[in-house]
Amino acid sequence: MVNIKTVLLSVACMMALGVSAQPKLSKANIKDVVKAMTLDEKIEFLHGIGMPAASGSGPVTGSVQGKVPGAAGETQRMERLGIPAIIMADGPAGLRIDTIRSGEKRRYYTTAFPTGTILASTWNTSLVEEVGNAMGNETKEYGVDILLAPGMNIQRNLLCGRNYEYYSEDPYLTGHIAAAMVNGVQKNGVGTSVKHFAANNQETRRASVDARMSERALREIYLRAFQYVVKTTQPWTVMSSYNKLNGTFTAESKYLLTTILRDEWGFKGMVTTDWFSGKDFAAQVAAGNDLMMPGRPNETEQIKAAIANGTLSMEEVDRNIERILELVVKCPSFLGYKYSDNPDLKAHAEVSRNAATEGMVLLKNGLTPVLPLKKGMSVALLGNYSYKTIVGGTGSGEVPSAHNVSIAEGLQNAGFTINKELVALHAKYIAEEVAKLPPRTQIIQKVEAIPERLWTKDELQQLVANNDIAVITIGRIAGEGRDRKVDADYQLSEAELAMLNNASEVFHAKGKKVVAILNIDGVIDASTWADKVDAILVAWLPGVQAGNAVADVVCGKVNPSGKLAITFPKAYEDVPSAKDFPGVPAKKPQYCEYNDDIFVGYRYHNTKNVEPAYPFGYGLSYTTFSMSGLKLSGKTFNNKMTATVTVKNTGKVDGKEVVQLYLSAPVTSQEKPSEELKGFVKTKLLKPGEQQVITFTLSADDLASYYPDQSSWIADKGTYTVKVGNSSRNFLQEATFTLKNDIVTEKCHGMKN
Ligand code: GLC
């Protein structure tokens, strides 16, 4: 029996402290809970409790090893008010948590799914949603509330170290793939964190570099995909980026986080910083960056001082806390979800495999098709990464899965013969070379490339005598914390070129073919050596089932239908941002001028007539398709325009096509790209002779470009040309329509005002 005096006394104390009764958090009483917090509690609640201090990334508040070891961080728990901690974990290619837990025998494996670039290369939003659904299921079943994904920054320059996590050079494709990912994850009742908002297009000095760009480039290229995702999916959270944007840290930018994100786009969720982002925490709070992760001691002191000296108001503090609590009450940890710790990894491995096969891009296949290969063929399989296949990139986007299937294993599973000596030779060589590399202790640590072995002509002569074909894998890995280099990453090494050239010479002399497989994190040179080989398949970083997925395509079980989501240039110098990436001064860039402006990727190559090696949207199939009968719903644009076109499988095997719609808008006072992607549809699997009618709907938004002087998106009056094709440089059908009068489709807040 509680002594009545004690109760009265404690109530009196609380009243004296201005602390009302202790409400227990519910959806309905968030404001009461905020009122019931003491000032110290409020300040604490604005930041996470951090990942274990052992993370080596500097001091964090607390070092609680939360309920899910290996998660990236947690929000504060406050038992007094019924507030549980919310668990946040990476990443865009699957859930990253510790596989091993102290004192436990079992392992906590998750699934390494295909990474961002290969998912985008599927051009298949329903497939990406399926991947997101599987990722969301693993997130939920391992007790995590927020998956820190998707990474959706524009691939402005092919050297960016994190491009593997991102989708494309194009904002339309990026937005639609990211939206599918968000929907897939969030249908499980867990959240996402679309990142990194915004313009985190390089890793070099990412925490301080200032991305300087025109307002038009910002709106049309670097914000457009985020705008689409926020407006169509309402992601539970947005993660601000490390960098500055036009002089202000994005995490401190009220213009970005409040005026644009919330006031213009209607974002209803919560904004978190990136981990250890920034230094002016009071400015972050004021800007609308609700949560600071992973949480550092100096944040508390700074915010307390800011409140005391009036630079930070309690309204701003309370507002942010309310938004964090609105997130909390949606999460499984708050709802008491009994997670199994046992998601169906077998089923998810199949999802990973299917997505990987559909994202692989066949760049070359000879006049007489080399691929698919007949099962039972004996394959001279060369290249380290045929045997140590790279499934994903490095950094926070890394996913530790149980067993990664190598290309060698996958080909053997599919019934191809790889002679034992070759397998043994690679195993021994790779083990010796790996032993020379520094041990890897941090996920952010660079993974050194394994130098390719030099093959003598005699060895190759032996191989060609005992095998039907040569398959050579070129591997590249990169990741968070550093950008790629032209010589080491984009260009092939001497040993790689020797392997390709010598093997081609020897095999071709005997009338045998050579297939190159690119197991790469990002674009590499695919022009200086492409004429040496007979087929080129870009496998990207295909996830845990890598080898089986490659084999599915190589043996013809799956007809490749991937299309490039980023341009392969003929030379790095042809990349429009090559001149100013990663910024000035070269050694330690303080800023990067986005002089390419809106002309990123194919927008540049098409408008400025710089022919690429392989264009955006390009990819071959084992069959052929025609497109015909393009019809528009009218000659003039009224409110919307639909375009229908018929695609037909004119070849001999089942296949899928990506029907792409590009729009050429009338040139006015401001220059425009010659074409821009405004629609795409991945067909169903079409049998030979089967056709499918595809319908696109263009809205006024699709016609509009951004006019900074009017702070508006405007669809200009004039003649538009609809171009439908199977890449950004192969238009099979065209039709025009006119817009009689300008339409202001969106009024915005200009950067200046
Ligand atoms: C990292 C990354 C971000 C990740 C976060 C948590 O620094 O930039 O993408 O989600 O920290 O690991």
Side-chain angles (χ1 to χ4, degrees), residues 365-413:
N365 196 22
L367 295 177
T368 325
V370 177
L371 295 175
L373 303 182
K374 282 189 195 53
K375 288 196 180 181
M377 280 177 89
S378 64
V379 176
L381 185 61
L382 300 178
N384 299 322
Y385 299 100
S386 297
Y387 300 87
K388 196 171 171 51
T389 305
I390 307 165
V391 302
T394 60
S396 57
E398 217 167 310
V399 181
S401 37
H403 171 67
N404 299 329
V405 180
S406 71
I407 290 171
E409 191 182 338
L411 290 174
Q412 287 166 322
N413 293 343

Side-chain angles (χ1 to χ4, degrees), residues 90 148 162 195-196 206 239 242 274-275 396 480:
D90 290 302
L148 300 171
R162 290 188 84 168
K195 67 188 188 180
H196 308 88
R206 63 177 180 166
M239 182 187 292
Y242 286 121
D274 198 340
W275 268 230
S396 57
E480 183 176 352

Side-chain angles (χ1 to χ4, degrees), residues 146 149-150 152 178-179 182-183 186 190-195 226-239 261 266-271 327 330:
I146 307 290
M152 52 179 289
V182 170
N183 286 329
Q186 296 191 165
V190 293
T192 55
S193 194
V194 296
K195 67 188 188 180
F226 284 103
Q227 179 179 12
Y228 179 78
V229 171
V230 165
K231 294 186 105 167
T232 58
T233 70
Q234 278 299 340
W236 286 18
T237 80
V238 165
M239 182 187 292
L261 182 63
F267 176 58
K268 297 183 175 54
M270 185 204 80
V271 176
L327 173 72
K330 294 203 289 191

